[in-house]
Amino acid sequence: GAVGLLVNQLSEYRLGDVLAQMKLECKDSELADAPVLIGGPVQQERGFVLHHEPGDWESSYRINPDWSVTTSRDILVAMAAGEGPRQAVMVLGYAGWEAGQLEQELMANAWLTTEACGRGVFDTPLEERWGAAAKTLLRVLAEYAQNREDWLQLAQWQQRAGDPGAALLSLENALPYFVDGDFESFRAVLSELVRMAFQAQRWDRCIDHCEHL
C-alpha cells in the first residue's frame, strides 16, 4: 500500500496544544503557535512530523536524502527543547491506499504529480501552498503543449492557480493555431489576452493586443 500526507489543511490545534497533551513544556512561543495540519482522513489521532535533517529518531522513515517522516515521541521532546529539526511540519492523520491502488490511479491520470519542493512545504504560507504546487506543475505541462486546445486549457489552469503572467503567455502561444475564418474565436481570445495583460500589469502587451482587436 501507500501513505500520503496533506500539507495545506489546517487543523484546530497548534503545536503547543499537542505538546501540552504529551506533558511537554515548550518555552518558545513561536514554535508553540505553529499550526498543526490535517494529514488525511485516516487515524487522525496519530501524529506525523515531516521534516528535513533525518536525525536519529526511534521511529522514522527516510523519504529521500533530504526528507523524513517521524512518528516517535522523541522528536517532539527535542522540538519542545529547541533541539528538533529546523524545518518541520506536524500533521494529524494520513491518506492511505491499498496495495496497487495508487499506482492504478496514477495510470488513470487521476493525480497530477510534480517533484517535491521543500520551499513549498516549509516556507510557503499555508494558503498559498496549493497554488505554488500548481504553478510548478503547470510550468512542466507547458513543455508538452502541442496545439490550440492544449494552450487554452493550460491558460485556464494557470489563471485558476493565480499565475496571470503564465496564463497570458499560454494564450499568446495559442494564437498561431487559429485558422483563417475563425474570426470570432480569434477575437474572443484577443479580448481575453487584453484582460490578462491588464491583470498581469503588462502594459506593453495590453496595448499590443488592443491594436489587433
Side-chain angles (χ1 to χ4, degrees), residues 104-121:
Q104 291 177 359
E105 292 178 4
L106 289 169
M107 291 178 63
N109 292 322
W111 293 91
L112 297 175
T113 61
T114 184
E115 186 176 353
C117 172
R119 180 180 300 175
V121 173

Side-chain angles (χ1 to χ4, degrees), residues 151 158 164-174 193 196 205:
W151 286 114
Q158 289 164 330
L168 173 64
L169 181 60
S170 292
L171 273 185
E172 289 176 339
N173 285 328
L193 276 171
M196 285 188 175
R205 308 263 271 277

Side-chain angles (χ1 to χ4, degrees), residues 32-73:
D33 195 48
V36 174
L37 308 183
I38 298 173
V42 183
Q43 293 187 5
Q44 292 191 345
E45 73 283 358
R46 186 176 181 185
F48 299 81
V49 179
L50 175 65
H51 58 93
H52 271 171
E53 304 168 1
D56 186 21
W57 314 110
E58 292 178 9
S59 179
S60 190
Y61 176 76
R62 188 86 168 265
I63 300 172
N64 59 37
D66 299 317
W67 296 37
S68 296
V69 174
T70 299
T71 58
S72 49
R73 175 187 171 90

Side-chain angles (χ1 to χ4, degrees), residues 147-204:
N147 52 52
R148 181 178 72 176
E149 287 69 27
D150 288 350
W151 286 114
L152 292 176
Q153 181 66 76
L154 189 60
Q156 185 179 40
W157 287 339
Q158 289 164 330
Q159 188 72 1
R160 290 179 179 177
D163 196 351
L168 173 64
L169 181 60
S170 292
L171 273 185
E172 289 176 339
N173 285 328
L175 283 179
Y177 291 96
F178 283 86
V179 298
D180 294 339
D182 195 5
F183 178 73
E184 289 302 322
S185 296
F186 183 77
R187 185 179 177 86
V189 172
L190 275 177
S191 297
E192 183 67 8
L193 276 171
V194 171
R195 188 186 70 81
M196 285 188 175
F198 184 82
Q199 182 180 2
Q201 298 184 2
R202 296 299 304 270
W203 313 124
D204 56 332

